[in-house]
Amino acid sequence: MEIERAREDLVVAAAAGIATITVAVLSSVVSGITVGTLPSLAPLGVYAAYLFSRKGGPYGSGDTPRNWAAVALGAGIVVLVVGIL
């Protein structure tokens, strides 16, 4: 059971990390994207919310690691779109 929980945490952490690194790299490489330090950490904020919300149960049907990973990736996309505008 603990291995399964660790795998779920890893999925969300990887999605948040990939989104954060992508935002940081694109912000520094592409001249049309300007993102500050704090907004670029938004996907990691989603991961922190995931960790602190998983302290007990019961969880809803939408509270899955896959959905949390999608929210973390979505936060990275929103930050990039705002940075472009």
Side-chain angles (χ1 to χ4, degrees):
M1 179 95 172
E2 292 298 319
I3 295 296
E4 183 63 27
R5 176 72 188 256
R7 189 190 74 71
E8 292 173 351
D9 289 349
L10 181 63
V11 167
V12 180
I18 288 169
T20 302
I21 291 170
T22 301
V23 168
V25 168
L26 288 178
S27 177
S28 65
V29 172
V30 178
S31 63
I33 301 175
T34 305
V35 178
T37 303
L38 193 57
S40 69
L41 297 176
L44 292 180
V46 172
Y47 177 63
Y50 165 78
L51 287 179
F52 290 118
S53 71
R54 304 288 288 185
K55 294 294 182 184
Y59 305 116
S61 62
D63 188 16
T64 63
R66 181 180 178 192
N67 290 345
W68 279 100
V71 170
L73 292 172
I77 291 169
V78 167
V79 168
L80 283 175
V81 168
V82 170
I84 291 172
L85 302 176

